[in-house]
Coordinates of all heavy atoms in Angstrom, one line a residue:
M113 N 30.8 12.1 30.7 CA 30.8 11.1 31.7 C 29.3 10.8 32.1 O 28.6 11.7 32.3 CB 31.6 11.6 33.0 CG 31.7 10.6 34.1 SD 32.5 11.2 35.6 CE 34.0 11.8 35.0
G114 N 29.0 9.5 32.1 CA 27.6 9.1 32.3 C 27.3 9.0 33.8 O 28.3 9.0 34.7
T115 N 26.1 8.7 34.2 CA 25.7 8.6 35.6 C 26.4 7.4 36.3 O 26.8 7.5 37.4 CB 24.2 8.5 35.8 OG1 23.7 7.5 35.0 CG2 23.5 9.8 35.4
D116 N 26.6 6.3 35.5 CA 27.3 5.1 36.1 C 28.7 5.5 36.5 O 29.1 5.1 37.6 CB 27.3 4.0 35.2 CG 25.9 3.3 35.0 OD1 25.0 3.5 35.9 OD2 25.7 2.7 34.0
E117 N 29.4 6.2 35.7 CA 30.8 6.6 36.0 C 30.8 7.6 37.1 O 31.7 7.5 38.0 CB 31.5 7.2 34.7 CG 32.9 7.5 34.9 CD 33.8 6.3 35.3 OE1 33.5 5.2 34.9 OE2 34.8 6.5 36.0
I118 N 29.9 8.5 37.1 CA 29.8 9.5 38.2 C 29.6 8.8 39.5 O 30.2 9.1 40.6 CB 28.8 10.5 38.0 CG1 29.2 11.4 36.8 CG2 28.5 11.4 39.2 CD1 28.1 12.3 36.3
L119 N 28.7 7.8 39.5 CA 28.4 7.0 40.8 C 29.6 6.3 41.2 O 29.9 6.3 42.4 CB 27.2 6.1 40.5 CG 26.8 5.2 41.7 CD1 26.4 6.1 42.9 CD2 25.6 4.3 41.4
K120 N 30.3 5.6 40.3 CA 31.5 4.9 40.7 C 32.5 5.8 41.3 O 33.1 5.4 42.4 CB 32.1 4.2 39.5 CG 31.3 3.0 39.0 CD 32.0 2.4 37.7 CE 31.1 1.3 37.1 NZ 31.7 0.8 35.9
Q121 N 32.7 7.0 40.8 CA 33.6 7.9 41.3 C 33.2 8.5 42.7 O 33.9 8.6 43.6 CB 33.9 9.1 40.4 CG 34.5 8.7 39.1 CD 36.0 8.2 39.3 OE1 36.7 8.8 40.1 NE2 36.3 7.2 38.6
A122 N 31.9 8.7 42.8 CA 31.3 9.2 44.0 C 31.5 8.2 45.2 O 31.8 8.6 46.3 CB 29.9 9.6 43.9
L123 N 31.3 7.0 44.9 CA 31.5 5.9 45.9 C 32.9 5.8 46.4 O 33.1 5.2 47.5 CB 30.9 4.6 45.4 CG 29.4 4.6 45.2 CD1 29.0 3.2 44.5 CD2 28.7 4.7 46.5
K124 N 33.8 6.3 45.7 CA 35.2 6.3 46.2 C 35.5 7.4 47.2 O 36.6 7.4 47.8 CB 36.2 6.4 45.0 CG 36.1 5.3 44.0 CD 37.0 5.5 42.8 CE 36.9 4.3 41.8 NZ 37.7 4.5 40.6
L125 N 34.6 8.4 47.3 CA 34.8 9.5 48.2 C 34.7 9.0 49.7 O 34.0 8.0 49.9 CB 33.8 10.6 47.9 CG 33.8 11.3 46.6 CD1 32.6 12.2 46.4 CD2 35.1 12.1 46.4
K126 N 35.3 9.8 50.6 CA 35.1 9.6 52.0 C 33.6 9.8 52.3 O 32.9 10.6 51.6 CB 35.9 10.5 52.8 CG 37.4 10.3 52.6 CD 38.2 11.4 53.5 CE 39.6 11.2 53.2 NZ 40.4 12.3 53.9
I127 N 33.1 9.2 53.4 CA 31.7 9.3 53.8 C 31.3 10.8 53.9 O 30.2 11.1 53.5 CB 31.4 8.5 55.0 CG1 29.9 8.4 55.3 CG2 32.1 9.0 56.3 CD1 29.3 7.2 54.8
E128 N 32.1 11.6 54.5 CA 31.8 13.0 54.7 C 31.6 13.7 53.4 O 30.7 14.5 53.2 CB 32.8 13.7 55.6 CG 33.0 13.2 57.0 CD 34.0 12.0 57.0 OE1 34.6 11.7 56.0 OE2 34.1 11.4 58.1
E129 N 32.5 13.4 52.4 CA 32.4 14.0 51.1 C 31.1 13.5 50.4 O 30.5 14.3 49.7 CB 33.6 13.6 50.3 CG 34.9 14.3 50.9 CD 36.2 13.7 50.2 OE1 36.2 12.5 49.9 OE2 37.1 14.6 50.0
R130 N 30.8 12.2 50.5 CA 29.6 11.7 49.9 C 28.3 12.4 50.5 O 27.4 12.7 49.8 CB 29.5 10.2 50.1 CG 30.4 9.5 49.2 CD 30.2 8.0 49.2 NE 31.0 7.5 50.3 CZ 30.7 6.3 50.9 NH1 29.8 5.5 50.5 NH2 31.5 5.9 51.9
F131 N 28.4 12.6 51.8 CA 27.2 13.3 52.4 C 27.1 14.7 51.9 O 26.0 15.1 51.5 CB 27.4 13.4 54.0 CG 26.3 14.1 54.6 CD1 25.1 13.5 54.9 CD2 26.5 15.4 55.0 CE1 24.1 14.1 55.5 CE2 25.4 16.1 55.7 CZ 24.2 15.4 55.9
I132 N 28.2 15.4 51.7 CA 28.1 16.8 51.2 C 27.6 16.7 49.7 O 26.7 17.6 49.3 CB 29.5 17.5 51.2 CG1 29.9 17.7 52.7 CG2 29.5 18.7 50.4 CD1 31.3 18.1 52.9
L133 N 28.0 15.7 49.0 CA 27.6 15.6 47.6 C 26.1 15.3 47.5 O 25.3 16.0 46.8 CB 28.3 14.5 46.9 CG 28.0 14.1 45.5 CD1 28.2 15.3 44.6 CD2 28.8 12.9 45.0
V134 N 25.6 14.4 48.3 CA 24.2 14.1 48.4 C 23.4 15.3 48.8 O 22.3 15.6 48.2 CB 23.9 12.9 49.3 CG1 22.4 12.7 49.6 CG2 24.5 11.6 48.7
E135 N 23.8 15.9 49.8 CA 23.1 17.1 50.3 C 23.0 18.2 49.2 O 21.9 18.8 49.0 CB 23.7 17.7 51.6 CG 23.0 18.8 52.2 CD 23.6 19.2 53.5 OE1 24.9 19.2 53.6 OE2 22.9 19.6 54.4
S136 N 24.1 18.4 48.5 CA 24.1 19.4 47.4 C 23.2 19.0 46.3 O 22.5 19.9 45.7 CB 25.5 19.6 46.9 OG 26.4 20.0 47.9
L137 N 23.1 17.7 46.0 CA 22.2 17.3 44.9 C 20.8 17.4 45.3 O 20.0 17.9 44.5 CB 22.5 15.8 44.6 CG 23.8 15.5 43.8 CD1 24.1 14.0 43.8 CD2 23.8 16.1 42.4
I138 N 20.5 17.1 46.5 CA 19.1 17.3 47.0 C 18.7 18.7 47.0 O 17.6 19.1 46.6 CB 18.9 16.6 48.4 CG1 19.0 15.1 48.2 CG2 17.6 17.0 49.0 CD1 19.0 14.4 49.5
K139 N 19.6 19.6 47.5 CA 19.3 21.0 47.5 C 19.1 21.6 46.1 O 18.2 22.4 45.8 CB 20.4 21.8 48.2 CG 20.4 21.7 49.6 CD 21.5 22.6 50.3 CE 21.5 22.5 51.8 NZ 22.6 23.2 52.4
S140 N 19.8 21.0 45.1 CA 19.6 21.5 43.7 C 18.3 21.1 43.2 O 17.8 21.8 42.3 CB 20.8 20.9 42.8 OG 20.6 19.6 42.5
I141 N 17.7 20.0 43.6 CA 16.4 19.6 43.2 C 15.3 20.4 43.9 O 14.2 20.7 43.3 CB 16.2 18.1 43.5 CG1 17.1 17.3 42.6 CG2 14.7 17.7 43.2 CD1 17.2 15.8 42.9
D142 N 15.5 20.8 45.1 CA 14.5 21.4 46.0 C 14.6 23.0 45.9 O 14.3 23.6 46.9 CB 14.7 20.9 47.4 CG 13.5 21.2 48.3 OD1 12.4 21.3 47.7 OD2 13.7 21.4 49.5
E143 N 15.0 23.5 44.8 CA 15.1 25.0 44.7 C 13.7 25.5 44.5 O 12.8 24.9 44.0 CB 15.9 25.4 43.5 CG 17.4 25.1 43.7 CD 18.3 25.7 42.7 OE1 17.8 26.6 41.9 OE2 19.5 25.3 42.6
P144 N 13.4 26.7 45.1 CA 12.1 27.3 45.0 C 11.7 27.5 43.6 O 12.4 27.9 42.7 CB 12.3 28.7 45.7 CG 13.6 28.6 46.5 CD 14.4 27.5 45.8
D145 N 10.4 27.3 43.4 CA 9.8 27.6 42.1 C 8.8 28.8 42.2 O 7.8 28.6 42.8 CB 9.0 26.3 41.6 CG 8.4 26.5 40.2 OD1 8.2 27.6 39.8 OD2 8.1 25.5 39.6
R146 N 9.3 29.9 41.8 CA 8.5 31.1 42.0 C 7.1 31.0 41.4 O 6.1 31.5 42.0 CB 9.2 32.3 41.4 CG 10.4 32.8 42.3 CD 10.9 34.2 41.8 NE 11.8 34.7 42.8 CZ 13.1 34.5 42.9 NH1 13.6 33.7 42.0 NH2 13.8 35.1 43.8
K147 N 6.9 30.4 40.3 CA 5.6 30.3 39.6 C 4.7 29.4 40.5 O 3.6 29.8 40.7 CB 5.7 29.7 38.2 CG 4.4 29.6 37.5 CD 3.8 31.0 37.2 CE 2.5 30.8 36.5 NZ 1.8 32.0 36.5
L148 N 5.2 28.3 41.0 CA 4.5 27.5 41.9 C 4.1 28.2 43.2 O 3.0 28.1 43.7 CB 5.2 26.2 42.2 CG 4.5 25.1 42.9 CD1 3.2 24.7 42.2 CD2 5.4 23.9 43.2
D149 N 5.1 28.9 43.7 CA 4.8 29.7 44.9 C 3.7 30.7 44.7 O 2.8 30.9 45.6 CB 6.0 30.4 45.4 CG 7.1 29.4 46.0 OD1 6.7 28.3 46.3 OD2 8.2 29.8 46.1
E150 N 3.7 31.4 43.5 CA 2.7 32.3 43.2 C 1.3 31.7 43.1 O 0.3 32.2 43.6 CB 3.0 33.0 41.9 CG 4.1 34.0 42.0 CD 4.6 34.6 40.6 OE1 3.8 34.4 39.7 OE2 5.6 35.2 40.6
L151 N 1.3 30.5 42.5 CA 0.0 29.8 42.3 C -0.6 29.4 43.7 O -1.8 29.5 43.9 CB 0.2 28.5 41.5 CG 0.4 28.8 40.0 CD1 0.8 27.5 39.3 CD2 -0.8 29.4 39.3
W152 N 0.3 28.9 44.6 CA -0.2 28.5 45.9 C -0.7 29.8 46.7 O -1.6 29.7 47.5 CB 0.9 27.8 46.7 CG 0.9 26.3 46.5 CD1 1.9 25.6 45.9 CD2 -0.1 25.4 46.8 NE1 1.5 24.3 45.8 CE2 0.3 24.1 46.4 CE3 -1.4 25.5 47.4 CZ2 -0.5 23.0 46.5 CZ3 -2.1 24.4 47.6 CH2 -1.7 23.1 47.2
A153 N 0.0 30.9 46.6 CA -0.4 32.1 47.3 C -1.7 32.6 46.8 O -2.6 33.0 47.5 CB 0.7 33.2 47.0
E154 N -2.0 32.5 45.4 CA -3.3 32.9 44.9 C -4.4 31.9 45.4 O -5.5 32.4 45.8 CB -3.2 32.8 43.3 CG -2.4 33.9 42.7 CD -2.3 33.7 41.2 OE1 -3.1 32.9 40.6 OE2 -1.4 34.3 40.6
E155 N -4.1 30.6 45.5 CA -5.1 29.7 46.0 C -5.4 30.0 47.4 O -6.5 29.9 47.9 CB -4.5 28.3 45.8 CG -5.5 27.2 46.3 CD -6.8 27.1 45.5 OE1 -6.8 27.6 44.3 OE2 -7.8 26.6 46.1
A156 N -4.4 30.3 48.2 CA -4.6 30.6 49.6 C -5.4 31.8 49.8 O -6.3 31.8 50.7 CB -3.2 30.7 50.3
E157 N -5.2 32.8 49.0 CA -6.0 34.0 49.1 C -7.4 33.8 48.7 O -8.4 34.3 49.3 CB -5.4 35.1 48.1 CG -4.1 35.7 48.7 CD -3.4 36.6 47.7 OE1 -4.0 37.0 46.7 OE2 -2.2 36.9 48.0
K158 N -7.6 32.9 47.6 CA -9.0 32.6 47.2 C -9.7 31.8 48.4 O -10.9 32.1 48.6 CB -9.0 31.7 46.0 CG -8.6 32.4 44.7 CD -8.6 31.5 43.5 CE -8.1 32.1 42.3 NZ -7.9 31.2 41.2
R159 N -9.0 30.9 49.0 CA -9.7 30.1 50.1 C -10.0 31.0 51.3 O -11.0 30.9 51.9 CB -8.8 29.0 50.5 CG -8.6 27.9 49.4 CD -7.8 26.8 49.9 NE -7.5 25.8 48.8 CZ -7.0 24.6 48.9 NH1 -6.6 24.2 50.1 NH2 -6.8 23.9 47.9
L160 N -9.1 31.9 51.6 CA -9.3 32.8 52.7 C -10.5 33.7 52.4 O -11.4 33.9 53.3 CB -8.1 33.7 53.0 CG -8.2 34.7 54.1 CD1 -8.6 34.0 55.5 CD2 -6.9 35.5 54.3
A161 N -10.6 34.3 51.2 CA -11.7 35.1 50.8 C -13.0 34.3 50.9 O -14.0 34.8 51.4 CB -11.5 35.7 49.4
A162 N -13.0 33.1 50.4 CA -14.2 32.2 50.5 C -14.6 32.0 51.9 O -15.8 32.0 52.2 CB -14.0 30.9 49.7
Y163 N -13.7 31.7 52.8 CA -14.0 31.5 54.2 C -14.6 32.8 54.8 O -15.6 32.7 55.5 CB -12.7 31.1 54.9 CG -12.9 31.0 56.4 CD1 -13.5 29.9 57.0 CD2 -12.4 32.0 57.3 CE1 -13.7 29.8 58.3 CE2 -12.6 31.9 58.6 CZ -13.2 30.8 59.2 OH -13.4 30.7 60.5
R164 N -14.0 33.9 54.6 CA -14.5 35.1 55.1 C -15.9 35.5 54.6 O -16.6 36.1 55.3 CB -13.5 36.3 54.9 CG -12.2 36.2 55.7 CD -11.3 37.3 55.4 NE -10.2 37.2 56.4 CZ -9.0 37.9 56.2 NH1 -8.9 38.7 55.1 NH2 -8.1 37.8 57.1
E165 N -16.2 35.1 53.4 CA -17.5 35.4 52.8 C -18.5 34.3 53.1 O -19.7 34.4 52.7 CB -17.3 35.5 51.3 CG -16.5 36.7 50.8 CD -16.1 36.6 49.4 OE1 -16.5 35.7 48.6 OE2 -15.3 37.5 48.9
G166 N -18.1 33.3 53.9 CA -19.0 32.3 54.3 C -19.3 31.2 53.2 O -20.2 30.4 53.4
R167 N -18.5 31.2 52.2 CA -18.7 30.2 51.1 C -17.9 28.9 51.4 O -18.0 27.9 50.7 CB -18.2 30.7 49.8 CG -19.1 31.9 49.3 CD -18.7 32.4 47.9 NE -17.4 33.1 48.0 CZ -16.3 32.8 47.3 NH1 -16.3 31.7 46.5 NH2 -15.2 33.5 47.4
L168 N -17.1 29.0 52.4 CA -16.2 27.8 52.8 C -16.2 27.7 54.3 O -16.0 28.7 55.0 CB -14.8 28.1 52.3 CG -13.7 27.0 52.5 CD1 -14.1 25.8 51.7 CD2 -12.4 27.6 52.1
E169 N -16.4 26.5 54.8 CA -16.4 26.3 56.3 C -15.0 25.9 56.7 O -14.3 25.1 56.0 CB -17.4 25.2 56.6 CG -18.8 25.6 56.5 CD -19.8 24.6 57.1 OE1 -19.4 23.9 58.1 OE2 -20.9 24.4 56.6
G170 N -14.7 26.3 57.9 CA -13.4 25.9 58.5 C -13.5 24.6 59.2 O -14.7 24.2 59.6
I171 N -12.4 23.9 59.5 CA -12.4 22.7 60.3 C -11.5 23.0 61.5 O -10.4 23.4 61.4 CB -11.8 21.5 59.5 CG1 -12.6 21.3 58.2 CG2 -11.7 20.3 60.3 CD1 -12.0 20.3 57.3
P172 N -12.1 22.8 62.7 CA -11.3 23.0 63.9 C -10.0 22.2 63.9 O -9.9 21.0 63.5 CB -12.2 22.6 65.1 CG -13.6 22.6 64.5 CD -13.4 22.3 63.0
M173 N -8.9 22.8 64.4 CA -7.6 22.2 64.4 C -7.6 20.8 65.1 O -7.0 19.9 64.7 CB -6.6 23.1 65.0 CG -5.2 22.5 65.1 SD -3.9 23.7 65.8 CE -4.5 23.7 67.5
E174 N -8.4 20.8 66.2 CA -8.5 19.6 67.0 C -9.0 18.4 66.2 O -8.6 17.3 66.3 CB -9.4 19.8 68.3 CG -8.8 20.7 69.3 CD -9.0 22.2 68.9 OE1 -9.8 22.5 68.0 OE2 -8.3 23.1 69.5
E175 N -10.0 18.7 65.3 CA -10.6 17.7 64.5 C -9.6 17.2 63.4 O -9.5 16.1 63.1 CB -11.9 18.2 63.8 CG -12.6 17.1 63.1 CD -13.9 17.7 62.5 OE1 -14.6 18.6 63.1 OE2 -14.4 17.2 61.5
V176 N -8.8 18.2 62.8 CA -7.9 17.9 61.8 C -6.8 16.9 62.3 O -6.4 15.9 61.7 CB -7.2 19.1 61.2 CG1 -6.1 18.8 60.3 CG2 -8.2 20.0 60.5
F177 N -6.3 17.2 63.5 CA -5.2 16.4 64.1 C -5.6 15.3 65.0 O -4.8 14.7 65.7 CB -4.2 17.3 64.8 CG -3.5 18.2 63.8 CD1 -3.9 19.6 63.8 CD2 -2.6 17.8 63.0 CE1 -3.2 20.4 62.9 CE2 -1.9 18.6 62.1 CZ -2.2 19.9 62.0
K178 N -6.9 15.0 65.2 CA -7.4 14.0 66.2 C -6.8 12.6 65.9 O -6.6 11.9 66.8 CB -8.9 14.0 66.3 CG -9.6 13.4 65.1 CD -11.1 13.4 65.4 CE -11.8 12.9 64.1 NZ -13.3 13.0 64.3
D179 N -6.6 12.2 64.7 CA -6.1 10.9 64.3 C -4.6 10.8 64.6 O -4.1 9.7 64.5 CB -6.4 10.6 62.9 CG -7.9 10.4 62.7 OD1 -8.6 10.1 63.7 OD2 -8.4 10.6 61.5
E180 N -3.9 11.9 64.8 CA -2.5 11.9 64.9 C -2.0 11.5 66.3 O -0.9 11.3 66.6 CB -1.9 13.3 64.6 CG -2.1 13.7 63.1 CD -1.3 12.8 62.2 OE1 -0.2 12.4 62.5 OE2 -1.9 12.4 61.2
R181 N -3.0 11.5 67.3 CA -2.6 11.2 68.7 C -2.4 9.8 68.9 O -2.3 8.8 68.7 CB -3.7 11.7 69.6 CG -3.8 13.2 69.6 CD -4.8 13.7 70.5 NE -5.1 15.1 70.1 CZ -6.1 15.8 70.6 NH1 -6.9 15.2 71.5 NH2 -6.3 17.0 70.2

């Protein structure tokens, strides 16, 4: 069954059932990627070490979010 047929069948569902289907599909795409998480953790550790060693300057939170007000 192709995506067009699946979509036609899905559109016949009640709104609540379609919501559950959409939510399930989105969750299936948004599953954690352990390798990516490991890479981000390594990067965060490198940045923290650089900050503590004085090789990287911090930016005050107020400055980072000043345009959001």
Side-chain angles (χ1 to χ4, degrees):
M113 183 182 307
T115 54
D116 289 338
E117 184 61 31
I118 293 170
L119 180 58
K120 286 178 188 176
Q121 294 296 318
L123 291 173
K124 294 177 184 177
L125 297 171
K126 295 178 183 175
I127 188 99
E128 297 87 7
E129 295 171 319
R130 284 187 275 160
F131 179 78
I132 291 168
L133 179 60
V134 168
E135 187 175 35
S136 298
L137 289 170
I138 290 172
K139 282 183 181 177
S140 74
I141 293 170
D142 195 28
E143 290 191 13
D145 181 338
R146 284 195 167 86
K147 182 63 179 168
L148 186 58
D149 290 344
E150 288 173 13
L151 290 172
W152 273 114
E154 288 173 18
E155 180 64 24
E157 289 174 12
K158 288 178 186 176
R159 291 181 188 192
L160 179 58
Y163 174 77
R164 288 181 173 164
E165 293 167 6
R167 296 182 289 119
L168 181 67
E169 287 188 34
I171 301 172
M173 182 178 67
E174 293 80 12
E175 188 176 328
V176 171
F177 293 107
K178 72 180 176 185
D179 293 335
E180 295 297 318
R181 293 181 198 172

